Amino acid sequence: MTNSSQSQRPASSASESSVPTVRVALLGAGNVGAEVARILLTDAVELGERIGARPKLIGIAVRDVDSPRTVTLPLELFTTDADALIDDADVVVELTGGIEPAKTRILRALNAGKPVISGNKALLAQHGEQLHAAAEAAGTSISYEAAVAGAIPIVRPMLDSLSGDKVKRVLGIMNGTTNYILDQMDTTGASFDDALAEAQRLGYAEADPTADVEGHDAASKVAILGGIAFHSSYTFDDVYCRGITGVTAEDVEAARRSGFVIKLLGVAERVTEGEGDQAQEKVNLRVVPTMLPRKHPLAGVHGAFNAVFVEAENAGELMFYGPGAGGAPTASAVMGDLVAALRRSVAGGPGVGPTFHAGLPATGMDGVKTSFALTLLCPDRTGVLAEISSVFAEHGVSISTMQQRDLPEDPAHPGQGQAELRFVTHRARNADLVRTVEAIRQMDVVLDMRGLIRVENDN
Ligand SMILES: NC(=O)C1=CN([C@@H]2O[C@H](COP(=O)(O)OP(=O)(O)OC[C@H]3O[C@@H](n4cnc5c(N)ncnc54)[C@H](O)[C@@H]3O)[C@@H](O)[C@H]2O)C=CC1
Ligand SMILES: N[C@@H](CC=O)C(=O)O
Ligand code: NA
């Protein structure tokens, strides 16, 4: 490799053609990186026409040059010296994941004025502001369409197309692995573990799938998207996060019997706390397993697909839908960012990044209005229902539906029938719902609390 200039102008490569070339460094050749390399190698000429300069893949930095790959790539491109590769390039594509050394490498490229494309939501949701500041200071850009909802164009529409509107809420399915698992459990009766193993095999899961199933991956995406939507800076720590490890086959089955489906939803929404002069606008960010009525549009999002609703003051409701994970689909988003960044390089100027001027504080769950489904095991006798209903009423929470399922008599307690009572509440303040649930849990007539999950419906 030769040393390239660190300017934004594409370098000429007379040996290959008269079209100028831009030198692309790729960090990582896993599920996504290998697909990006494949596209760069096969489509360089056509991409050159779109960009005005031909992208030349000059090297791929990996941990181990001899690791088996999903795509066959020329061995001479591989190197373990990421720093030398970055220094030799005009543009850097980071697809290794994790915080370090990815952060140091990205900063190395940005500080040298080189545009960076990354799919690293974990990093962006922790250090996004610092990376943007470095890009701005050096007059370059960092782009990350792949980091949120895979192939779906959502980051750039939020940054560009909706930048003249006022976003009220962003809500959706933002993790392919958990959607795949929940969908398999619902439609085929697969076990959690089998479905996760298949999601890993298909290249949907993170290197450590705990990030997926504990909701951390979706939380990073909510922090990134919420920040763009509300012109503020949020990190992973601002997101209230619950994963799907607590969702059992029984929960999935119970939801199905009631005409619902369980999805892991990510939400970022404006909330107003306080009243009158004290009223303050804040933003609640959360990731929670949620029951949705089967007729809800998000209930029909299957497999590793994602879907994101954006509610904006003037646009109204928008829905973005498509593959949320997987090598080739995610590589499509990376390539879109790469072409856009290189077009800017060729034409001059870094383009427009996000702003954080609004500074809306993130807020906790207490004031958020939501509804719960609650499944209780109780003795099947007169008065139980009234007793439980009165606790809901005492806390100002109204019941939307109640279903009773009589269970076979417990042989250990002859003569004492038991019933499963399933309540779905209307929307109420989260703090009131939590107090209601705690009071119900303490009641003598409640033998077991079998399921507790949020519900997204219109009431
Ligand atoms: N797999 C997917 O569906 C999606 C992944 N992403 C993100 O894209 C990035 C890459 O994801 P995958 O390709 O699935 O990961 P992967 O685990 O399949 O591949 C990671 C690659 O990076 C290399 N690598 C890791 N640490 C390195 C280091 N310190 N130095 C040099 N090379 C290193 C590995 O050798 C491997 O080639 C991650 O940030 C991930 O969150 C984003 C959207 C979707
Ligand atoms: N592990 C992630 C990959 C894409 O972001 C997911 O399953 O959604
Ligand atoms: Na995307």
Side-chain angles (χ1 to χ4, degrees):
M1 278 169 214
T2 56
N3 282 332
S4 82
S5 107
Q6 297 190 350
S7 88
Q8 294 298 294
R9 258 177 295 115
S12 289
S13 170
S15 59
E16 285 186 30
S17 89
S18 58
V19 182
T21 60
V22 268
R23 301 166 66 79
V24 182
L26 175 61
L27 314 183
N31 294 308
V32 186
E35 294 293 337
V36 168
R38 175 186 61 77
I39 298 169
L40 274 169
L41 292 171
T42 52
D43 296 348
V45 174
E46 165 66 21
L47 291 168
E49 295 297 322
R50 297 181 200 171
I51 294 164
R54 189 164 302 166
K56 178 176 167 59
L57 180 61
I58 59 163
I60 309 172
V62 290
R63 266 186 306 222
D64 177 2
V65 167
D66 298 319
S67 279
R69 313 276 160 212
T70 50
V71 177
T72 306
L73 297 167
L75 207 55
E76 63 273 17
L77 284 177
F78 287 91
T79 174
T80 53
D81 192 346
D83 285 349
L85 183 63
I86 292 166
D87 293 348
D88 203 19
D90 297 308
V91 58
V92 174
V93 179
E94 185 275 316
L95 292 166
T96 53
I99 306 300
E100 285 294 357
K103 182 182 166 205
T104 303
R105 290 174 179 168
I106 289 177
L107 286 171
R108 185 184 186 97
L110 292 175
N111 291 339
K114 300 175 184 188
V116 171
I117 291 86
S118 172
N120 194 334
K121 44 269 159 104
L123 175 62
L124 283 151
Q126 268 187 48
H127 301 287
E129 205 171 346
Q130 184 189 351
L131 298 178
H132 281 294
E136 197 178 334
T140 188
S141 62
I142 175 159
S143 322
Y144 42 88
E145 182 58 77
V148 183
I152 304 174
I154 179 72
V155 171
R156 280 202 275 152
M158 295 283 290
L159 274 172
D160 291 349
S161 319
L162 287 167
S163 59
D165 208 327
K166 187 173 181 187
V167 175
K168 295 190 287 189
R169 184 156 91 136
V170 180
L171 172 150
I173 295 169
M174 302 186 199
N175 180 270
T177 301
T178 48
N179 200 58
Y180 182 84
I181 294 171
L182 292 171
D183 191 41
Q184 288 291 107
M185 289 170 77
D186 180 50
T187 56
T188 70
S191 74
F192 186 105
D193 289 343
D194 286 350
L196 171 58
E198 186 62 2
Q200 287 179 283
R201 195 186 66 76
L202 293 166
Y204 304 150
E206 295 303 299
D208 177 359
T210 314
D212 295 294
V213 297
E214 295 294 357
H216 302 162
D217 177 79
S220 293
K221 293 165 178 169
V222 167
I224 295 169
L225 223 45
I228 297 172
F230 301 113
H231 308 283
S232 302
S233 176
Y234 304 115
T235 69
F236 171 83
D237 293 327
D238 291 317
V239 185
Y240 173 90
C241 175
R242 293 287 176 272
I244 64 162
T245 47
V247 177
T248 63
E250 289 73 35
D251 292 331
V252 172
E253 174 55 27
R256 188 137 54 103
R257 277 201 309 273
S258 325
F260 284 77
V261 62
I262 299 178
K263 297 288 188 189
L264 185 67
L265 289 196
V267 185
E269 65 182 345
R270 281 177 195 269
V271 293
T272 305
E273 286 188 357
E275 284 175 15
D277 291 349
Q278 305 298 314
Q280 200 190 353
E281 268 208 339
K282 294 188 178 178
V283 171
N284 176 259
L285 307 140
R286 60 186 186 270
V287 170
V288 278
T290 305
M291 288 202 335
L292 297 168
R294 286 208 177 251
K295 62 177 174 12
H296 192 286
L298 288 177
V301 177
H302 297 289
F305 276 66
N306 285 188
V308 183
F309 280 114
V310 180
E311 292 168 27
E313 206 164 88
N314 299 306
E317 286 193 6
L318 307 166
M319 184 173 175
F320 299 81
Y321 170 79
T330 307
S332 161
V334 173
M335 289 307 301
D337 275 349
L338 181 63
V339 170
L342 291 179
R343 278 177 175 161
R344 287 195 299 267
S345 292
V346 170
V352 180
T355 57
F356 306 117
H357 62 278
L360 291 177
T363 185
M365 293 298 289
D366 279 2
V368 173
K369 291 213 165 171
T370 178
S371 72
F372 272 147
L374 183 64
T375 307
L376 307 172
L377 181 69
C378 299
D380 190 8
R381 62 175 156 75
T382 320
V384 169
L385 191 55
E387 226 180 293
I388 296 172
S389 302
S390 70
V391 176
F392 279 103
E394 275 163 30
H395 290 82
V397 174
S398 82
I399 298 167
S400 168
T401 60
M402 200 291 290
Q403 286 178 334
Q404 174 165 348
R405 192 159 69 100
D406 293 334
L407 300 176
E409 201 172 274
D410 179 358
H413 302 93
Q416 286 183 25
Q418 293 186 341
E420 198 177 70
L421 303 183
R422 188 169 177 78
F423 296 90
V424 178
T425 72
H426 284 291
R427 272 181 190 273
R429 286 181 68 245
N430 191 70
D432 294 333
L433 287 167
V434 169
R435 276 194 283 274
T436 309
V437 168
E438 279 320 304
I440 289 174
R441 199 193 293 277
Q442 306 302 325
M443 294 175 75
D444 291 340
V445 293
V446 174
L447 306 175
D448 190 16
M449 191 173 278
R450 293 186 153 179
L452 175 63
I453 187 162
R454 285 180 174 76
V455 183
E456 195 61 44
N457 54 18
D458 297 332
N459 63 32

